[in-house]
Amino acid sequence: MKLLTHNMLTSHVKGVTNGYPLLIKATEVKVNEVDFNPQFVSRMIPKLEWSTLVQASDSWCELIPDYDKNEEFLKKVHRVLLEVEVIEGCLKCPESGREFPISRGIPNMLLNEDEV
Amino acid sequence: MKLKELESHLQQVDVFEEPKILLEQYPTSPHIAACMLYTIQSTFEDIEGKLVADLGCGCGVLSIGAAMLDAGFCVGFDVDNDALNTFRRNAEEFEITNVDLVQCDLCSLEVDAYAKKFDTVIMNPPFGTKHNQGMDMKFLRAALTMAKTSVYSLHKTSTRQHIQKKANDWGVKMEVLAELRYDLPASYKFHKKKSRTTDESPLLRHLQVLLKTSTSNLSVRPKADPRTEITT
């Protein structure tokens, strides 16, 4: 699971009104090399919940103005959004505490019958 | 990348090891997938550099194709763990790094949380022939919520009018991009191989249409492609 995907995921356990953002508990993380596309990263930035990304990546980072012209900044964001991958662990619903497992890089958001 | 090249790559994508009938699992043929993706990019430019979602991704042939056509990032959603694992292995083999996979049930997903998060949605959804009637429309509804621009989906030809009516009700524009006939010998071979399944392959029974539904007003007519007997 990459952090770009994590930025979108929410918990929809029955009764939960705010299942976002999911807290990441990672036991295995990988960093891959992914082709850098500055225009794509630049376009994604305004769509992101920036605070979620900062929290998830456990690193800096202030969103600077004119980011679309700053390649160094975009490269940093690219690394965090697309190159960092949670392989094993779980995602915890901030309201219910329900844990969604991540296995082999795939988060399992399936709910049990009583949670739907 | 040329269409022929894309199709030849997609022929190497591993398919379902043991297709689950009730989930209507069958692979999108490499030919159909290649033509579909190629059209989406060359006519509408809705893949390259875009954030793409593949709903009911199965083993990932559409997502992998989208990645090969330089999608910015593609997220595949499917309910079945086995299919997703096959997809994951496929991505590793092709060294595709700009895809991600999520296991979830699109029927119980709160799609509004994902509203307009993706530029484009591509899919070959279940038709709703296995005690799950209306499944194709559920997928289409979810897709339209999640997409900012357009949804490209394969449906049974016989449901075209029903979908047009729904599109009108929902206030979305629908275009038929292609009417597809499956290469029968290939699908028959597939059917023969999996002799365990007593159910006839859906490929033999249904013709499909490729639809583009969108909330935007852009409309470009694609050129006819004789190989897939496209009728526009």
Side-chain angles (χ1 to χ4, degrees):
Chain A
M1 182 199 69
K2 317 228 175 171
L3 297 187
L4 174 53
T5 304
H6 167 260
N7 205 266
M8 294 188 261
L9 296 178
T10 41
S11 151
H12 6 265
V13 175
K14 191 169 66 179
V16 165
T17 48
N18 187 19
Y20 182 89
L22 293 160
L23 183 68
I24 304 176
K25 289 162 79 174
T27 51
E28 188 187 331
V29 175
K30 231 170 62 172
V31 181
N32 313 296
E33 211 183 283
V34 178
D35 285 344
F36 175 50
N37 180 339
Q39 291 93 344
F40 177 73
V41 177
S42 186
R43 246 183 5 101
M44 289 299 110
I45 288 174
K47 295 166 87 133
L48 299 169
E49 288 294 338
W50 194 255
S51 56
T52 301
L53 184 64
V54 170
Q55 198 180 62
S57 63
D58 205 21
S59 54
W60 83 149
C61 159
E62 213 179 279
L63 181 54
I64 63 171
D66 288 343
Y67 56 78
D68 55 327
K69 301 186 182 74
N70 189 326
E71 190 158 298
E72 202 185 301
F73 179 79
L74 291 178
K75 266 215 176 107
K76 266 196 195 157
V77 177
H78 164 81
R79 186 170 189 278
V80 156
L81 272 186
L82 301 178
E83 296 191 325
V84 172
E85 193 178 355
V86 179
I87 305 294
E88 301 286 332
C90 70
L91 296 171
K92 192 166 162 177
C93 171
E95 198 176 304
S96 66
R98 206 284 206 187
E99 292 189 348
F100 297 91
I102 302 174
S103 154
R104 289 187 263 203
I106 306 172
N108 180 351
M109 308 304 294
L110 291 176
L111 298 171
N112 302 319
E113 269 180 39
D114 56 329
E115 291 173 313
V116 176
Chain B
M1 187 183 288
K2 296 224 166 93
L3 173 56
K4 270 204 180 126
E5 210 185 321
L6 178 62
E7 184 176 335
S8 122
H9 283 308
L10 294 183
Q11 277 162 359
Q12 309 304 315
V13 172
D14 282 342
V15 296
F16 301 97
E17 279 172 26
E18 305 215 356
K20 298 180 176 101
I21 301 302
L22 289 178
L23 295 177
E24 289 190 54
Q25 289 182 338
Y26 68 90
T28 305
S29 88
H31 179 64
I32 301 282
C35 288
M36 175 174 168
L37 294 166
Y38 200 78
T39 300
I40 297 169
Q41 175 52 34
S42 63
T43 307
F44 302 101
E45 295 183 328
D46 271 338
I47 291 183
E48 193 177 311
K50 304 285 179 179
L51 183 58
V52 179
D54 179 357
L55 304 187
C57 60
C59 302
V61 70
L62 289 178
S63 295
I64 288 172
M68 288 176 174
L69 291 179
D70 296 318
F73 194 65
C74 189
V75 184
F77 296 82
D78 203 287
V79 72
D80 182 38
N81 195 46
D82 294 327
L84 289 168
N85 275 313
T86 304
F87 183 161
R88 187 187 48 80
R89 282 197 309 271
N90 277 323
E92 277 166 23
E93 261 205 43
F94 283 91
E95 294 179 343
I96 303 274
T97 52
N98 56 341
V99 291
D100 220 351
L101 284 59
V102 177
Q103 183 176 12
C104 69
D105 183 351
L106 279 152
C107 297
S108 57
L109 195 71
E110 286 280 343
V111 268
D112 290 328
Y114 300 85
K116 304 212 178 293
K117 295 270 179 181
F118 293 90
D119 294 313
T120 304
V121 175
I122 56 179
M123 61 183 189
N124 183 3
F127 290 155
T129 57
K130 301 283 170 281
H131 312 290
N132 55 353
Q133 201 182 38
M135 189 64 86
D136 53 348
M137 299 315 291
K138 281 198 186 135
F139 267 70
L140 189 55
R141 197 77 190 91
L144 283 163
T145 304
M146 293 165 77
K148 196 174 97 182
T149 311
S150 292
V151 174
Y152 296 89
S153 52
L154 290 165
H155 297 271
K156 279 197 296 185
T157 302
S158 55
T159 59
R160 189 206 295 211
Q161 279 184 327
H162 174 68
I163 298 176
Q164 179 66 76
K165 185 181 177 302
K166 281 286 177 184
N168 294 338
D169 291 343
W170 296 337
V172 297
K173 189 165 172 294
M174 186 190 99
E175 276 180 76
V176 176
L177 298 186
E179 186 128 353
L180 304 155
R181 293 177 185 280
Y182 277 86
D183 182 21
L184 287 181
S187 59
Y188 184 71
K189 245 189 265 163
F190 170 78
H191 177 56
K192 271 276 189 184
K193 246 206 288 190
K194 311 283 177 194
S195 55
R196 275 174 284 175
T197 61
T198 52
D199 190 47
E200 196 185 5
S201 162
L203 303 178
L204 297 174
R205 274 191 287 142
H206 307 300
L207 298 177
Q208 288 193 325
V209 275
L210 172 60
L211 301 180
K212 171 183 191 291
T213 40
S214 47
T215 47
S216 74
N217 288 320
L218 291 169
S219 167
V220 179
R221 303 291 283 169
K223 296 188 205 115
D225 176 357
R227 286 172 66 208
T228 49
E229 297 181 57
I230 289 182
T231 52
T232 55

